[in-house]
Amino acid sequence: MSSASPAPTRQPWLRRHASSLLALLLLFIGLAVAGGLGDAESHRTSLDSLPAGSDSAAFAKAQESLPDKSSSQAMVLFSSQEKMAPATLGKLAAKAGQITGLPKPPVIPSEDGTAVLVPVTVDGVGAAELKQGVGELREQASSGLPDGITAQVTGPAAIQTDLGAVFDGANFKLLATTALVVAILLVVTYRSPWLWLVPLTVVGVADRLAAVLATHVLNRFNLAWDESTTGILSVLVFGAGTDYALLLISRYRDELRRHPSRHDAMRVAARRTVEPVVASAATVFVGLLTLLLSVFPATRGLGVACAVGVLVAATFVLLVLPGALVTFGRWIFWPRVPHDGETAATEANSVWAKVGRFVEGRPVTVAIVSTLVLLLAALGMGSIRIGLGDADQFLKKPESIVAAQRLAESFPAGSANPVLVSTPPSQVGAVTQRLQGMDGVSSVRPTVTGTEVVEMQVVTTDEPGSAAAGQRVREIRSALDGLASTHVGGSEAQRLDKADGNSTDRRVIFPVVLGLVFAALVLLLRSLVAPVVLVGTVLLTYVAALGLGWWAFTGVLGFERMDGQVPLYAFVFLVALGVDYNIFLVTRAREEAERHGSRRGMLRSLTATGGVITSAGILLAAVFAVLGVLPLVVLAQLGVVIFIGVLLDTLVVRTVLVPSLALVLGDRFWWPRKLRPANIAS
């Protein structure tokens, strides 16, 4: 029990309620700015998902000079279980004329007689235009068919439409699910029927403002973004913002046990929370901005958007949440209301105090065992296979993918997604000569002719998405080497170039992120040993999460490959966000160590922050798992890896590994910084 505190001095009303008024003012400003700016229009083209400087990007750029650049290609597949009769083929030819508007439409029957393929041009290249065009095409193709005949639409335009359909209403669904998960976990954490409303409201306004500001910033600097960008942004703002809120509220509740005035308690809590939150937000901000080094324009946009989101989340938690909490009395914590004179968190005999005593009793053993556990989890990395084809992008296969697979049963496998070549008109003959008769090539023909560029279709026999299909693209490019202004594109070429681009991103961005996070920790802690330990443990968490994630993908979820962007996104998010919890732990440990020594300081920090950091970690992991509500494999995989990584970081690394290493190192953990002996009480 603390000694009796002097009665607080009565302050003028305006001074006592200044923080509350500031909170209300900033909330209104946030809502007004978000409402005033309004939603920006998405800004993303097909080029933005391709690596800059790649051959497929050059092909897409060359297509802009074609006369029908305002249209896209699709294919209508008519199929049956049995061989079609001549009368049925005649009816389908008439149907093809209605669909294409041509007197002699291109109708391609299969050799086995069970399918008919009709190439169709769909007006438009944008998402909205293609959605309407492909939708109308599907309605026309499926109406008035002979008995036993099924119509399906596939091809690049249909696949792009089905990809876009994933995000129809997705942002609302994702936001609603995220808010619900956060609300449930806040209720469980605080066991209060109304305390959760305060941080959720503040973070909700921050999310809305962040989405508006980020998209306007992206448009201002001509950076690419779409619905997936704002979806990931919302998840990050809710996750990081709620984590910061949990840290502030935990410290505020602890200070209410030391101060009779809630205003005094909040002043101390806010002052002590500023450093770890600012350090954490700055580290995440810098880490996310490293995505500007990506060769993918869309990845650069995601990095900037999320960086803006983290700044907005931290600003609202530090400036708005304190005033919002103080507006209410201690009763906001009911039924667990903290009172002046109660035992502080650092003195309580909690489960985290018991964990600290366990680690203190055998720090070397704990450090070795926890490290071995993480290394064992990381073994799955050795068998990871990277790269998804079009058919692997969806958790539930849409019509375009089902049609492409059916098409491959009756036509050459590459018919639905042929390799495309752009070349000057003068070189069409040379391209045809070099590719016609090549092993694995079924046909080569010009499809669109312009004054500067001719687009040619190369149909192969390789299964789309297979290793053979990728190798065929390499062979085609090699065969066309030396022909000026000739580029190879199409789905398989894009998949190949994206794999190379992802590999380049990992080689460049990984070391930069680690270097920047290390530098940020050195500046924060004024130490060299502690940053090495913290960065090393976060890196260990990442490889363990990736290894366990791969086992989950193959053994539980049935995935055969990992999307090429998952390792990069997971690395940036896990390193930047994972170091948060270490910052929360170590900054409190430094504060306690200056009064109680290195060993006792770390143990007291673990006792004080154990509950809040564990709650924050579980909440952040659950929020990222929400990405799985979208039927897109890359987001589901990203959510799973980050979910696993955050839980490992929260329950293993921060709970036992870092404390055990700090206890083993003692004062050397802070080297070259030295504790002030005069302040050490024990």
Side-chain angles (χ1 to χ4, degrees):
M1 298 291 289
S2 64
S3 58
S5 302
T9 303
R10 189 71 173 173
Q11 296 177 329
W13 183 91
L14 185 60
R15 180 176 297 179
R16 283 187 288 119
H17 297 280
S19 58
S20 301
L21 294 173
L22 176 62
L24 289 173
L25 177 62
L26 290 176
L27 277 174
F28 281 126
I29 290 175
L31 290 171
V33 170
L37 289 177
D39 294 326
E41 293 185 5
S42 61
H43 174 75
R44 183 166 175 176
T45 67
S46 58
L47 275 171
D48 295 325
S49 60
L50 301 174
S54 65
D55 198 35
S56 55
F59 170 84
K61 187 68 176 176
Q63 278 188 311
E64 295 179 357
S65 65
L66 292 174
D68 64 342
K69 63 181 180 180
S70 60
S71 63
S72 302
Q73 295 299 309
M75 297 181 184
V76 178
L77 176 68
F78 298 105
S79 61
S80 68
Q81 296 296 322
E82 301 176 351
K83 186 175 182 179
M84 298 180 188
T88 300
L89 292 175
K91 292 178 181 178
L92 292 180
K95 184 71 173 177
Q98 296 174 5
I99 293 173
T100 61
L102 300 175
K104 292 184 178 180
V107 178
I108 307 170
S110 64
E111 291 186 3
D112 61 10
T114 65
V116 170
L117 186 63
V118 180
V120 181
T121 298
V122 178
D123 292 335
V125 293
E129 296 171 320
L130 287 181
K131 179 180 179 181
Q132 179 179 351
V134 171
E136 293 175 353
L137 179 60
R138 283 172 170 161
E139 289 182 5
Q140 291 178 331
S142 60
S143 64
L145 291 175
D147 293 340
I149 302 298
T150 300
Q152 296 171 305
V153 179
T154 185
I159 293 173
Q160 185 177 340
T161 297
D162 288 341
L163 269 173
V166 169
F167 294 100
D168 286 345
N171 276 355
F172 175 78
K173 181 179 180 182
L174 189 65
L175 182 60
T177 307
T178 302
L180 179 62
V181 168
V182 170
I184 292 173
L185 290 176
L186 286 176
V187 170
V188 172
T189 299
Y190 294 128
R191 303 176 193 174
S192 169
W194 37 65
L195 176 59
W196 62 276
L197 288 168
V198 180
L200 185 62
T201 300
V202 171
V203 174
V205 174
D207 171 67
R208 177 60 187 156
L209 180 61
V212 172
L213 289 179
T215 52
H216 279 276
V217 168
L218 293 174
N219 283 356
R220 172 65 179 82
F221 292 97
N222 200 31
L223 293 170
W225 68 277
D226 60 10
E227 289 81 359
S228 65
T229 307
T230 52
I232 295 175
L233 168 63
S234 285
V235 168
L236 179 63
V237 170
F238 267 96
T242 309
D243 275 5
Y244 300 152
L246 286 170
L247 188 67
L248 174 67
I249 295 173
S250 174
R251 191 61 186 256
Y252 176 46
R253 181 181 356 220
D254 208 29
E255 295 302 328
L256 285 172
R257 300 186 177 106
R258 296 188 177 99
H259 298 85
S261 167
R262 69 179 189 272
H263 299 280
D264 293 338
M266 179 54 77
R267 273 192 288 272
V268 176
R271 186 170 65 250
R272 293 296 189 182
T273 305
V274 164
E275 184 181 38
V277 169
V278 169
S280 169
T283 303
V284 177
F285 178 81
V286 171
L288 289 169
L289 285 185
T290 61
L291 292 178
L292 284 171
L293 300 174
S294 172
V295 297
F296 294 90
T299 299
R300 297 175 209 152
L302 177 65
V304 172
C306 290
V308 171
V310 166
L311 286 186
V312 174
T315 300
F316 265 65
V317 169
L318 293 177
L319 296 183
V320 179
L321 185 58
L325 288 169
V326 171
T327 299
F328 307 96
R330 295 171 186 262
W331 61 266
I332 193 70
F333 288 94
W334 186 88
R336 304 170 66 189
V337 180
H339 298 286
D340 180 31
E342 292 181 349
T343 303
T346 52
E347 309 296 339
N349 187 28
S350 64
V351 63
W352 302 108
K354 296 175 183 177
V355 170
R357 288 195 292 271
F358 173 79
V359 174
E360 183 183 22
R362 48 190 69 79
V364 175
T365 302
V366 170
I368 292 174
V369 171
S370 54
T371 300
L372 289 177
V373 167
L374 293 174
L375 289 174
L376 181 64
L379 292 178
M381 281 193 64
S383 56
I384 290 178
R385 289 179 291 174
I386 299 291
L388 297 178
D390 288 335
D392 304 319
Q393 295 285 344
F394 304 90
L395 292 175
K396 183 179 180 181
K397 293 180 181 178
E399 178 181 316
S400 59
I401 300 302
V402 174
Q405 293 174 334
R406 172 63 182 89
L407 186 150
E409 296 175 6
S410 299
F411 292 90
S415 298
N417 282 300
V419 177
L420 303 177
V421 177
S422 65
T423 191
S426 60
Q427 296 180 165
V428 170
V431 170
T432 303
Q433 183 179 8
R434 294 189 184 192
L435 300 183
Q436 195 72 53
M438 177 185 289
D439 184 37
V441 173
S442 295
S443 64
V444 181
R445 65 185 183 91
T447 53
V448 184
T449 301
T451 57
E452 299 178 4
V453 173
V454 174
E455 180 187 293
M456 305 181 69
Q457 248 185 31
V458 182
V459 177
T460 70
T461 59
D462 304 302
E463 184 71 23
S466 65
Q471 180 59 31
R472 195 74 60 206
V473 171
R474 293 187 180 93
E475 293 172 357
I476 290 173
R477 283 176 170 169
S478 177
L480 300 179
D481 188 35
L483 292 179
S485 301
T486 299
H487 306 287
V488 178
S491 297
E492 293 302 326
Q494 291 178 7
R495 184 171 66 89
L496 198 65
D497 290 342
K498 286 178 180 178
D500 292 340
N502 286 321
S503 179
T504 299
D505 277 357
R506 291 193 292 270
R507 288 196 305 270
V508 172
I509 296 176
F510 278 24
V512 174
V513 171
L514 290 177
L516 289 175
V517 169
F518 177 78
L521 290 172
V522 169
L523 292 174
L524 171 66
L525 302 175
R526 297 197 295 279
S527 165
L528 292 177
V529 175
V532 169
V533 171
L534 299 183
V535 170
T537 57
V538 170
L539 187 59
L540 188 57
T541 300
Y542 167 73
V543 296
L546 215 57
L548 286 179
W550 178 248
W551 283 335
F553 296 156
T554 55
V556 179
L557 301 176
F559 298 137
E560 296 181 355
R561 290 181 176 272
M562 182 182 292
D563 186 87
Q565 291 183 314
V566 170
L568 173 65
Y569 288 174
F571 181 83
V572 172
F573 282 116
L574 281 179
V575 171
L577 293 172
V579 83
D580 278 6
Y581 303 127
N582 284 330
I583 288 176
F584 297 163
L585 174 71
V586 173
T587 52
R588 183 63 180 265
R590 184 187 60 190
E591 176 188 335
E592 298 290 340
E594 290 181 343
R595 291 178 292 172
H596 302 278
S598 294
R599 293 177 62 85
R600 298 309 308 162
M602 178 58 70
L603 295 175
R604 287 171 66 87
S605 174
L606 179 59
T607 302
T609 64
V612 63
I613 294 179
T614 300
S615 299
I618 292 173
L619 187 145
L620 184 65
V623 165
F624 269 96
V626 170
L627 288 173
V629 305
L630 300 178
L632 206 57
V633 170
V634 58
L635 294 181
Q637 291 183 340
L638 178 62
V640 168
V641 173
I642 295 181
F643 174 83
I644 293 172
V646 171
L647 288 183
L648 286 176
D649 194 78
T650 304
L651 302 177
V652 179
V653 173
R654 188 271 315 163
T655 303
V656 295
L657 181 55
V658 170
S660 64
L661 292 173
L663 292 178
V664 170
L665 292 170
D667 287 345
R668 290 170 295 180
F669 183 76
W670 304 104
W671 186 88
R673 182 174 183 167
K674 295 182 179 180
L675 297 174
R676 293 173 290 177
N679 289 347
I680 298 179
S682 62

